[in-house]
């Protein structure tokens, strides 16, 4: 157990995040901690499978001996339950101590030869191992204690001795010196590992230790630079562990949109490493009774990076993986970052995500293969790692007097809602709303559209593209736009691609609705597992259409093992022919078995041919009888839907079925064919069975689709929804939309056939599927009560003719700026200039008498025949759209802010009721997003003494020059306020214009 002295040292250790309960008071109820404890107990059944009788310890392979940390936590806290654990406490203690003793002695830093010293990844497992030993310190022999101390001190000394150089034991793993990297392969994780390798030695060093000061300096350097972004860091004088960030940070590990890349693509899993490595290190300082280094709770740009993960969040605490599919649903590895953010940094939004993830962990643990914390993807070493980090997360809870109260789910997603174009280099545009998530990926090799209605990360499989057919080549042309409420009056995105199959467009709306137009057929791949305890995973999906409700039989087309029977037929050859794949990895089979009437496999050992094969996974693997080997399509063929695998059985036989054993790259739809001569093929079975539903369908009560102008009905199977090529597809979240009415309504029309229009949820979506710009096109809007920006003329049927322009291969989403109550006569013109100004012109032969409304404002417009009346909404919010280049843009300093400074973003939010407080020597920077012509910078202040402000500009975020008069080209605009003191005027608005 931790000593009272160690616990007392936690008071104030994390800047107030962790405090000790008053003496005599019991700890507050903590259901998350209780669940963690139960999970550790049940997971101990997996641990027991790792016992190696030959060495008298847990296995060495894949660092499975690191399971001792979870054991140590169970053995040093109350509530051990042998029934749940599958082993009595005495046996577990004996095995744990034996394992610690053995692997302490065999570590290279303690004189052994078996493991250790290597930074990647031995040092991570050393960190878990040392913490386990420290928790059981009193039970260890003097020799083992000495070995453990040698490991901690030796690893810190070794990492320190490398300076900023590569670890010669770790191959290609490197932090890239102190420079880091951000294009394709962030070094955030690598720098975090360099820091955490020092943490145990530093945390447990005795007072006055001669080496500790040097180690601490290097620890702070690596921990701070893990999230380095030069333009932000150079603008931040905030002091962390005695040094200003502007002097401490030199690395570049982030994109300027606060996202990281790994494996050549945006990868939230690696972004979470910032708090995973911090959590590992923090556990040692807290267990040792040492104050946390400030850098662990004040990481440069940490708040902004967390905002990115919230923007990508699902309903189970795990973010969407928009491009890389090999870190998907690894729940056990997602726990520690959330627990650290919540229980150490005290973030209630992280506490919400942590609680949501925890609610899924036991059902996940019990799903086959049972008693594992990591499933569906990843490496074997993730399992002991997940146990260790679950144990640390549990300790974070037990080291608090009460858990951080989580916000509600509604509050979480309301705060997380927004849009962001992460930039052309990243190739990701995303929108989070209160009702769902959607995104478009334009990066070559990963092109797809994503949709997660209800934030449900077990409904639509985002490893496959939503709506857009799989792409085998990079788009010839891409166009994307992200609209924000502050700049444009709406949060929305539009992406248009020119693909080999034709033009495609995708729009996302603030309601969670999405609009797709482009090549078909379009599909949504659904999860359809039986995982009791996870909402929606009851083994079936129910669909509703005009003809009623159906629940197709599950088990085919959702991965795992597919077994299909058919009427007996004579065949010498049997073939799998794909139609659609679940992921971008194409198809991969452990086995294709051809079954006769006796259920015997007649394909084993047969001659195999295929459309392609990966050299590492040849075709023969599919019929070798070994379920550990597999066939996979060639890398270059992964995007091909009709890949095939055929087996020559050697002689004609009577077949009655097939059995397909899938790897994670499975087919969602396919056919099984047979042949007597290997040339002429006939279909024996189609998988999965489908049901036709019509022009609309509700999906399991969680989402709905409407197809306009489709060539046939929407069809569904247990794990796939398919829409034939259609003029327009709308996707709605939840059950709040009358899908039948949405399908039968009149859509806006006008312009050439390449212009696709939708008024879903009252937003006018325009998508131009051509390389020709459309200027001054007249659109016929069926409703006359919504006024969009531009000139609208009332028609005789009460609808409106709106004149609009759409860029080549582009689009737009327009919010209704005003609503009209009352019937305006035909010929009435409404000229909407922006969100606050509208002019009404009556036709020459009739007067106009209508009520116009915008938000809480409304006014009666009585206009005589032939006259014009202009109305203005009282300004209570920003006028949109805005020509202000600074409006809503990123501002520096990012977190942590210097002492006394307010939020710089308040100077560019367009809200006259907010202002930036400069603080002593205050200076803020706005990033315009690109180098642009800057002609004027206008500063608006609150009442109070106005200090002389200095305006500066820069193209690189490093070198600034004083701005007097424009125009000049700049990306960054800075405002410095020397001599500012409390009570002086604050900056309400920083406006930048190009003319």
């Amino acid at each position: 157990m931790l000593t009272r002295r160690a616990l007392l040292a936690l008071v104030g250790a994390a800047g107030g995040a962790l405090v000790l309960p008053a003496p005599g008071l019991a700890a507050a109820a903590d259901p998350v901690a209780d669940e963690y404890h139960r999970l550790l107990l049940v997971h101990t059944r997996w641990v027991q499978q790792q016992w190696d009788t030959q060495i008298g310890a847990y296995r060495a392979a894949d660092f499975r001996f690191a399971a001792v940390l979870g054991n140590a936590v169970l053995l040093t806290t109350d509530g051990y339950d042998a029934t749940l654990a599958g082993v009595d406490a005495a046996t577990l203690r004996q095995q744990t101590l034996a394992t610690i003793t053995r692997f302490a002695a065999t570590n290279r830093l303690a004189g052994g030869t078996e493991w250790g010293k290597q930074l990647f990844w031995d040092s991570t497992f050393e960190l878990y191992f040392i913490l386990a030993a420290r928790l059981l310190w009193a039970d260890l022999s003097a020799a083992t204690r000495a070995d453990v101390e040698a490991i901690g001190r030796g690893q810190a000394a070794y990492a320190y001795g490398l300076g900023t150089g590569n670890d010669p034991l770790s191959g290609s793993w490197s932090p890239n010196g102190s420079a880091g990297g951000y294009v394709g392969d962030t070094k955030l994780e690598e720098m975090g590992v360099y820091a955490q390798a020092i943490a145990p030695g530093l945390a447990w060093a005795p007072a006055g230790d001669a080496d500790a000061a040097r180690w601490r300096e290097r620890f702070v350097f690596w921990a701070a630079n893990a999230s380095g972004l030069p333009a932000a860091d150079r603008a931040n004088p905030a002091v962390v562990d005695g040094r200003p960030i502007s002097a401490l940070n030199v690395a570049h590990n982030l994109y300027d949109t606060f996202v990281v890349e790994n494996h050549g693509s945006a990868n939230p899993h690696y972004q979470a490493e910032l708090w995973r490595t911090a959590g590992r290190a923090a556990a040692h300082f807290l267990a040792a009774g040492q104050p946390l280094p400030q850098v662990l709770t004040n990481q440069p740009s940490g708040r902004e990076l967390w905002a990115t993960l919230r923007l990508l969040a699902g309903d189970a605490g795990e973010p969407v993986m928009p491009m890389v599919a090999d870190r998907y649903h690894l729940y056990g590895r997602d726990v520690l970052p959330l627990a650290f953010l919540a229980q150490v940094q005290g973030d209630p939004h992280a506490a919400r995500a942590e609680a949501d993830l925890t609610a899924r962990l036991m059902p996940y643990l019990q799903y086959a293969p049972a008693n594992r914390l990591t499933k569906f993807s990843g490496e074997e070493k993730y399992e002991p790692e997940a146990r260790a980090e679950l144990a640390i997360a549990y300790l974070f809870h037990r080291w608090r007097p009460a858990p951080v109260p989580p916000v509600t789910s509604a509050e979480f997603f309301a705060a997380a809602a927004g849009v962001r174009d992460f930039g052309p280099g990243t190739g990701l545009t995303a929108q989070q709303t209160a009702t769902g998530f959607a995104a478009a990926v334009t990066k070559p090799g990963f092109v797809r559209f994503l949709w997660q209605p209800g934030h449900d990360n077990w409904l639509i499989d985002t490893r496959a593209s939503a709506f857009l057919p799989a792409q085998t080549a990079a788009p010839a042309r891409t166009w994307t736009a992200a609209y924000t409420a502050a700049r444009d009056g709406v949060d929305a995105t539009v992406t248009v691609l020119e693909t080999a199959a034709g033009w495609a467009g995708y729009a996302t709306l603030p309601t969670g609705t999405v609009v797709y137009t482009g090549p078909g057929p379009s599909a949504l791949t659904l999860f359809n597992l039986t995982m009791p305890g996870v909402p929606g995973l009851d083994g079936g999906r129910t669909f509703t259409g005009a003809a009623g409700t159906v629940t197709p039989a599950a088990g085919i087309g959702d991965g795992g093992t597919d077994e299909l029977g058919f009427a007996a037929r004579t065949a010498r050859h049997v073939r799998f022919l794909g139609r659609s794949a679940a992921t971008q990895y194409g198809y991969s089979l452990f086995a294709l078995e051809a079954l006769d009437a006796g259920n015997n496999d007649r394909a084993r050992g047969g001659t195999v041919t295929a459309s392609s094969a990966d050299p590492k996974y040849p075709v023969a693997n599919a019929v070798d009888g070994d379920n550990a080997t597999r066939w996979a399509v060639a890398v270059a063929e992964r995007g091909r839907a009709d890949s095939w695998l055929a087996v020559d059985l050697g002689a004609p036989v009577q077949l009655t079925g097939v059995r397909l054993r899938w790897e994670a790259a499975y087919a969602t739809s396919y056919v099984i064919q047979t042949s007597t001569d290997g040339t002429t093929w006939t279909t024996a079975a189609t998988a999965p069975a489908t049901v036709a539903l019509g022009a609309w369908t509700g999906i399991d009560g969680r989402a709905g689709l409407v197809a306009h102008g489709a060539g046939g009905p929407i069809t569904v199977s247990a794990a796939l929804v398919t829409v034939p090529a259609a003029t327009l597809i709308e996707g709605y979240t939840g059950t709040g939309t009358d899908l039948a009415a949405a399908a039968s309504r009149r859509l806006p029309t006008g312009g050439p056939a390449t212009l696709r229009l939708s008024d879903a949820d009252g937003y006018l979506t325009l998508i131009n599927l051509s390389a020709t710009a459309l200027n001054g096109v007249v659109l016929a809007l069926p409703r006359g009560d919504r006024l969009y920006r531009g000139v609208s003329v009332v028609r005789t049927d009460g609808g409106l003719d709106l004149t609009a322009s759409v860029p080549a291969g582009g689009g737009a989403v327009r919010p209704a700026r005003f609503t009209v109550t009352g019937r305006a006569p035909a010929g009435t013109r409404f000229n909407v200039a922006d969100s606050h100004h509208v002019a009404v012109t009556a036709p020459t032969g009739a007067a106009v008498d209508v009520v116009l409304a915008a938000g809480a404002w409304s006014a009666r417009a009585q206009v005589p025949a032939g006259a014009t009346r202009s109305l203005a909404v009282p300004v209570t919010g920003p006028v949109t759209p805005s020509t202000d280049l600074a409006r809503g843009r990123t501002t520096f300093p990012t977190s942590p802010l210097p002492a006394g400074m307010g939020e710089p973003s308040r100077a560019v939010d367009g809200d006259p009721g907010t202002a930036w407080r400069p603080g002593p020597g205050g200076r803020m920077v706005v990033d315009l997003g690109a180098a642009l012509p800057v002609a004027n910078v206008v500063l608006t202040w609150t009442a109070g003494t106005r200090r002389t402000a200095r305006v500066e500009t820069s193209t690189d975020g490093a070198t600034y020059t004083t701005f007097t008069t424009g125009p000049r080209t700049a990306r960054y605009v800075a405002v410095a306020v020397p001599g500012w003191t409390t009570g002086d005027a604050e900056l309400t608005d920083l406006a930048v214009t190009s003319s």
Side-chain angles (χ1 to χ4, degrees):
M1 298 286 287
L2 293 178
T3 65
R4 174 79 172 171
R5 181 195 64 80
L7 283 172
L8 284 169
L10 300 183
V11 179
L18 295 178
V19 293
L20 189 69
L25 292 181
D30 189 342
V32 171
D34 293 342
E35 188 67 358
Y36 284 162
H37 194 262
R38 284 191 290 271
L39 287 159
L40 285 171
L41 285 166
V42 176
H43 188 256
T44 302
R45 294 176 176 272
W46 174 85
V47 175
Q48 289 306 104
Q49 297 170 10
Q50 312 314 312
W51 183 254
D52 187 333
T53 57
Q54 292 186 343
I55 65 172
Y58 297 123
R59 302 183 194 283
D62 301 306
F63 301 101
R64 295 176 188 186
F65 60 86
V68 293
L69 178 52
N71 297 2
V73 167
L74 290 174
L75 293 167
T76 55
T77 54
D78 296 332
Y80 188 83
D81 187 327
T83 301
L84 288 178
V87 60
D88 61 89
T91 300
L92 187 68
R93 181 180 295 274
Q94 179 273 319
Q95 293 178 340
T96 301
L97 294 173
T99 299
I100 292 174
T101 299
R102 183 189 188 281
F103 285 99
T106 62
N107 187 283
R108 295 184 186 95
L109 293 162
T113 59
E114 189 170 353
W115 74 293
K117 192 174 184 179
Q118 179 175 303
L119 287 185
F120 302 93
W121 298 98
D122 295 46
S123 68
T124 298
F125 291 90
E126 285 174 344
L127 184 149
Y128 306 143
F129 184 83
I130 294 169
L131 185 57
R134 289 290 180 174
L135 293 175
L136 294 170
W137 201 245
D139 295 334
L140 301 178
S141 68
T144 298
R145 291 183 186 182
D147 288 340
V148 171
E149 289 181 332
I151 296 170
R153 293 188 62 84
Q155 192 65 72
Y158 178 74
Y160 176 83
L162 293 173
T164 58
N166 295 347
D167 174 18
L169 303 176
S170 295
S172 62
W173 289 98
S174 161
N176 192 26
S178 59
Y182 72 101
V183 177
D185 185 18
T186 182
K187 299 302 180 182
L188 181 154
E189 180 183 29
E190 286 82 347
M191 290 190 176
V193 168
Y194 270 55
Q196 71 174 33
I198 296 171
L202 177 60
W204 297 98
D209 184 82
D211 295 319
R214 294 191 296 274
W215 295 346
R216 178 175 289 274
E217 181 180 359
R218 190 63 52 76
F219 172 85
V220 171
F221 173 83
W222 287 123
N225 275 274
S227 55
L229 176 61
D233 297 337
R234 289 166 181 161
N236 196 348
V239 176
V240 175
D241 288 304
R243 294 188 64 190
I245 291 172
S246 54
L248 178 63
N249 273 21
V250 296
H252 192 169
N253 281 323
L254 317 177
Y255 274 89
D256 52 31
T257 48
F258 303 102
V259 71
V260 306
E261 282 191 332
N262 198 273
H263 300 312
S265 64
N267 193 321
H269 174 85
Y270 284 91
Q271 190 151 323
E273 288 291 337
L274 183 67
W275 305 287
R276 185 175 288 112
T277 53
R280 293 167 182 161
H284 278 271
F285 289 101
L286 295 172
Q290 300 293 331
L292 288 181
Q294 289 179 328
V295 71
L296 293 180
T297 52
N298 290 276
Q299 295 144 313
S301 298
R303 180 183 58 183
E304 290 72 17
L305 289 168
W306 172 226
T308 296
L309 288 197
R310 287 161 55 199
L311 183 72
L312 304 176
D315 66 349
E318 181 190 59
V320 174
M321 306 296 169
M323 302 184 197
V324 176
D326 63 349
R327 299 290 189 276
Y328 201 63
H329 286 144
L330 282 174
Y331 279 178
R333 296 202 76 218
D334 295 324
V335 170
L336 184 57
L338 296 177
F340 175 79
L341 282 164
Q343 307 308 324
V344 178
Q345 290 198 356
D347 189 309
H349 293 271
R352 174 74 271 150
E354 183 192 18
D356 289 342
L357 178 59
T358 304
R360 303 292 180 91
L361 279 172
M362 189 61 79
Y364 179 94
L365 186 76
Q366 294 171 337
Y367 185 81
N371 303 325
R372 290 185 64 108
L373 287 164
T374 57
K375 294 185 175 81
F376 306 109
S377 60
E379 304 170 26
E380 282 300 317
K381 71 181 180 68
Y382 289 170
E383 194 64 28
E385 181 179 27
R387 178 177 177 81
E389 295 187 355
L390 182 66
I392 293 172
Y394 174 73
L395 290 176
F396 287 159
H397 277 261
R398 284 302 181 228
W399 289 340
R400 294 190 63 93
V404 172
V407 298
T408 65
S409 292
E411 289 169 331
F412 177 93
F413 285 109
V419 300
R420 193 178 311 172
D421 179 354
F422 287 95
T426 303
L428 172 65
T429 304
Q431 177 162 15
Q432 183 74 269
T433 74
T435 60
F437 169 85
V441 179
T442 58
K443 193 176 185 70
F446 302 94
V447 174
R448 70 185 72 176
F449 296 150
L450 307 177
W451 187 38
Q452 196 175 74
H455 315 107
D456 186 347
N457 69 353
W458 281 111
L459 178 59
I460 297 174
D461 190 342
T462 55
R463 293 173 297 182
S465 181
F467 307 110
L468 180 69
Q471 301 299 296
T472 57
R477 177 173 177 159
T478 65
W479 183 97
T480 190
Y483 304 98
T484 64
R487 292 184 60 81
D488 308 291
V490 63
D491 284 339
T493 75
V494 181
T495 299
V496 182
L497 310 175
E498 184 183 6
T499 75
W503 289 85
Y506 191 54
T508 70
L509 305 180
T511 54
T513 294
V514 296
V515 177
Y516 170 80
T517 180
S522 297
L524 296 177
T525 302
L526 309 181
F527 288 106
N528 200 359
L529 310 180
T530 303
M531 194 183 296
V534 177
L537 295 188
D538 58 5
R541 295 290 185 185
T542 298
F543 303 91
T544 303
T549 297
V550 296
T551 303
I556 304 296
D558 57 0
T561 298
D562 289 352
E563 190 158 346
L564 289 81
F566 44 78
R569 56 171 54 202
T570 301
R572 173 171 172 167
H573 305 267
V574 63
R575 180 167 75 171
F576 151 79
L577 175 62
R579 284 182 171 171
S580 63
T583 76
Q584 75 267 35
Y585 296 105
Y587 307 115
S588 181
L589 278 166
F590 288 115
L592 188 159
E593 302 174 13
L595 307 176
D596 61 19
N599 208 38
N600 301 302
D601 177 16
R602 306 302 293 269
R604 183 172 300 183
T607 301
V608 192
T609 54
S611 55
S612 70
D614 187 321
K616 294 183 293 185
Y617 307 109
V619 292
N621 287 356
V623 295
D624 63 1
D626 185 349
N627 283 328
T629 65
R630 59 189 172 96
W631 160 74
V633 298
V635 172
E637 294 285 283
R638 287 175 173 175
R640 177 177 170 179
D642 63 346
S643 293
W644 54 269
L645 179 82
V647 185
D648 182 347
L649 307 180
V653 298
Q654 285 286 102
L655 296 182
T656 60
V658 296
R659 184 182 296 120
L660 306 181
R661 302 185 190 275
W662 291 103
E663 195 257 349
Y666 64 90
T668 57
S669 66
Y670 57 94
V671 294
I672 299 298
Q673 299 174 318
T674 62
S675 173
T676 56
D677 59 8
T679 301
T680 302
W681 297 90
T682 60
T683 297
T686 299
T690 61
V691 178
L693 289 176
W696 60 271
T697 183
I699 305 171
D700 209 33
R702 298 169 182 272
L705 291 184
V706 171
H708 300 279
I714 298 172
T715 60
V716 299
S717 65
L720 190 70
V721 181
T722 302
V723 184
T727 304
L728 198 74
I729 300 172
E730 295 164 341
Y732 296 92
T733 64
T735 57
T737 300
D738 184 334
L739 298 175
S744 62
R745 80 184 193 279
R746 291 171 54 201
L747 290 178
T749 59
T754 55
L755 178 62
R756 306 295 168 83
L757 304 169
S758 169
D759 59 357
D761 298 337
Y763 296 91
L764 181 61
T765 299
L766 308 92
I767 300 176
N768 180 8
L769 302 180
S770 77
T772 302
L774 303 177
N775 297 309
V777 175
V778 177
L779 310 179
L781 309 184
R783 296 182 55 156
D785 58 343
R786 299 171 182 155
L787 300 182
Y788 302 94
R789 186 167 176 258
V791 176
S792 298
V793 180
V794 178
R795 297 194 310 272
T796 55
D797 65 359
L800 296 173
D801 285 336
L802 171 67
T803 302
S805 297
V806 192
V813 173
R814 297 188 177 187
R817 302 291 185 170
F818 297 89
T819 59
V820 180
T821 302
R823 182 72 179 266
T828 302
R829 293 170 60 87
F830 296 100
N831 189 347
V832 178
D834 54 42
S835 59
H836 287 58
H837 301 89
V838 58
V840 184
T841 301
T844 55
V848 174
D849 188 357
V850 296
V851 175
L852 299 177
W857 172 89
S858 65
R860 187 175 182 182
Q862 294 177 303
V863 186
T868 297
R869 180 183 176 189
S870 296
L871 297 94
V873 178
V875 177
T876 57
V879 175
T880 59
S882 174
T883 58
D884 177 3
L885 303 178
R887 176 78 63 80
R889 301 300 188 191
T890 298
T891 56
F892 308 138
T894 53
S895 59
L897 293 176
M901 181 180 287
E903 290 289 344
S905 61
R906 292 176 179 171
V908 297
D909 61 5
D911 185 347
T914 64
W916 169 59
R917 184 179 67 255
R923 180 176 179 272
M924 69 163 285
V925 177
V926 59
D927 179 0
L928 305 180
L932 301 171
V934 173
N936 296 291
V937 178
V938 179
L939 307 180
T940 304
W941 302 87
T942 63
T945 302
R946 292 190 186 180
R947 301 290 175 176
T948 300
R950 183 176 68 253
V951 177
E952 303 167 332
T953 60
S954 172
T955 57
D956 60 6
T959 303
Y960 286 80
T961 58
T962 300
F963 178 83
T964 52
T965 58
R968 70 171 56 176
T969 298
R971 173 170 176 171
Y972 304 92
V973 177
V975 176
V977 193
W980 189 94
T981 60
T982 301
D984 288 350
E986 299 179 2
L987 185 61
T988 296
D989 190 61
L990 190 171
V992 178
T993 58
S994 58
S995 61

